[in-house]
């Protein structure tokens, strides 16, 4: 069974640009969550989608947005990039909507903002 | 808001030593509690979990007891191995959805 796939794995952007990251969950999983990981702030929840609907949202500015498609694939977008957005962005998929901890993380997309 | 505190940033036991990695949480809800482990270049993976008070999670010789009276979920192992070296994150999840609140993480480096 294929795991969670995130693309691209690495990318470099400059301040003011925007970026779109993609996540393909494990087949059959309907919940996709996004997390930002930095050395200073650790792992922080961005948002969760279930059946194309945003179910939870973390405390990030409106520059961070996401969506989920009917095949459960998800994208997140960051507009007007700032230096502080440099981070590892992790996607996690889960079979359903209950917090069983059965989250399966991808390897992440490492974003560097110059 | 909810929070998880891991007091040790790094622990350096020798192989065969016992281990306790501290985790305390704060929430107004009745959370589920988890330990995740992260190896270099990989995303976190679920290590063990406890869904309600007095449950004990177990995996690969590690244990953690969900203690509601002390709001703690400490990770313990009797005898660590070099292969246990990784970053360990304590986390909680409320009933609504898959939103996890993570602690800052504890780097475990086991000396051979």
């Amino acid at each position: 069974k294929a795991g969670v796939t995130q693309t691209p794995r690495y990318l470099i952007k400059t301040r003011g640009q925007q970026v779109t990251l993609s996540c393909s969950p494990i087949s059959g999983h309907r919940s996709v969550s996004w997390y930002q990981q930095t050395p200073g702030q650790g792992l922080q929840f961005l948002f969760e989608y279930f059946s194309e609907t945003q179910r939870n949202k973390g405390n990030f500015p409106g520059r961070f947005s996401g969506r989920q498609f009917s095949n459960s694939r998800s994208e997140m977008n960051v507009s007007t990039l700032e230096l502080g957005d440099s981070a590892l962005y992790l996607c996690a998929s889960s079979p359903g909507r209950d917090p069983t901890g059965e989250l399966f993380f991808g390897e992440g997309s490492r974003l560097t903002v110059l | 808001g909810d929070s998880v505190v891991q007091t040790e940033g790094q622990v350096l036991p020798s192989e065969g030593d016992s281990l306790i990695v501290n985790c305390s949480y704060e929430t107004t809800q009745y959370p589920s509690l988890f330990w995740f482990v992260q190896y270099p270049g990989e995303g976190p993976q679920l290590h063990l979990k406890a869904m309600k008070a007095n449950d004990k999670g177990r995996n690969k010789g590690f244990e953690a007891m969900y203690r509601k009276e002390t709001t703690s979920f400490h990770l313990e192992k009797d005898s660590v191995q070099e292969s246990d070296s990784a970053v360990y994150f304590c986390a909680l999840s409320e009933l609504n959805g898959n939103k996890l609140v993570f602690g800052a993480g504890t780097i475990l480096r086991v000396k051979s």
Side-chain angles (χ1 to χ4, degrees):
Chain A
K1 198 173 190 181
V4 177
T5 304
Q6 292 189 244
T7 57
R9 290 291 314 280
Y10 302 91
L11 65 166
I12 300 173
K13 294 285 187 179
T14 57
R15 280 181 298 174
Q17 287 187 309
Q18 73 163 13
V19 66
T20 298
L21 308 177
S22 179
C23 172
S24 293
I26 292 171
S27 178
H29 285 194
R30 297 169 63 191
S31 168
V32 173
S33 306
W34 288 89
Y35 289 81
Q36 182 195 64
Q37 186 173 26
T38 60
Q41 300 298 317
L43 280 153
Q44 293 188 287
F45 173 81
L46 280 156
F47 24 65
E48 180 200 4
Y49 289 88
F50 182 84
S51 295
E52 302 179 67
T53 301
Q54 188 180 85
R55 187 160 61 153
N56 277 303
K57 190 176 190 306
N59 297 322
F60 279 81
R63 300 186 296 108
F64 292 80
S65 62
R67 58 178 175 168
Q68 187 180 32
F69 303 97
S70 59
N71 62 357
S72 293
R73 191 177 70 85
S74 178
E75 289 181 347
M76 68 162 282
N77 184 277
V78 189
S79 61
T80 321
L81 284 165
E82 301 177 358
L83 295 179
D85 297 333
S86 294
L88 181 67
Y89 289 89
L90 291 159
C91 167
S93 80
S94 178
R97 59 192 307 152
D98 295 325
T100 61
E102 296 294 339
L103 287 185
F104 296 85
F105 282 87
E107 293 180 319
S109 292
R110 185 166 295 281
L111 170 65
T112 301
V113 182
L114 302 176
Chain B
D2 297 342
S3 64
V4 176
V5 176
Q6 294 178 240
T7 52
E8 303 98 354
Q10 182 171 236
V11 291
L12 299 166
S14 296
E15 209 165 31
D17 284 352
S18 62
L19 172 75
I20 297 179
V21 179
N22 292 308
C23 172
S24 299
Y25 66 90
E26 188 173 316
T27 178
T28 58
Q29 308 277 346
Y30 300 96
S32 300
L33 299 174
F34 311 95
W35 279 98
F36 284 80
V37 59
Q38 186 173 27
Y39 299 99
E42 298 181 10
Q45 53 186 274
L46 180 63
H47 189 51
L48 55 82
K49 65 181 180 181
M51 307 304 289
K52 62 183 186 300
N54 301 319
D55 277 358
K56 180 179 279 191
R58 295 183 176 89
N59 185 31
K60 298 180 181 177
F62 287 87
E63 293 184 344
M65 173 71 85
Y66 185 163
R67 298 188 188 278
K68 186 179 176 185
E69 64 279 6
T70 55
T71 61
S72 64
F73 192 55
H74 305 320
L75 182 67
E76 301 182 33
K77 189 174 186 184
D78 285 341
S79 175
V80 294
Q81 319 268 320
E82 192 175 359
S83 59
D84 294 329
S85 298
V87 183
Y88 291 79
F89 293 94
C90 185
L92 68 80
S93 176
E94 298 177 5
L95 293 177
N96 180 25
N98 286 305
K99 175 182 177 181
L100 293 182
V101 176
F102 284 88
T106 298
I107 300 171
L108 172 62
R109 292 193 205 280
V110 180
K111 296 176 286 186
S112 59

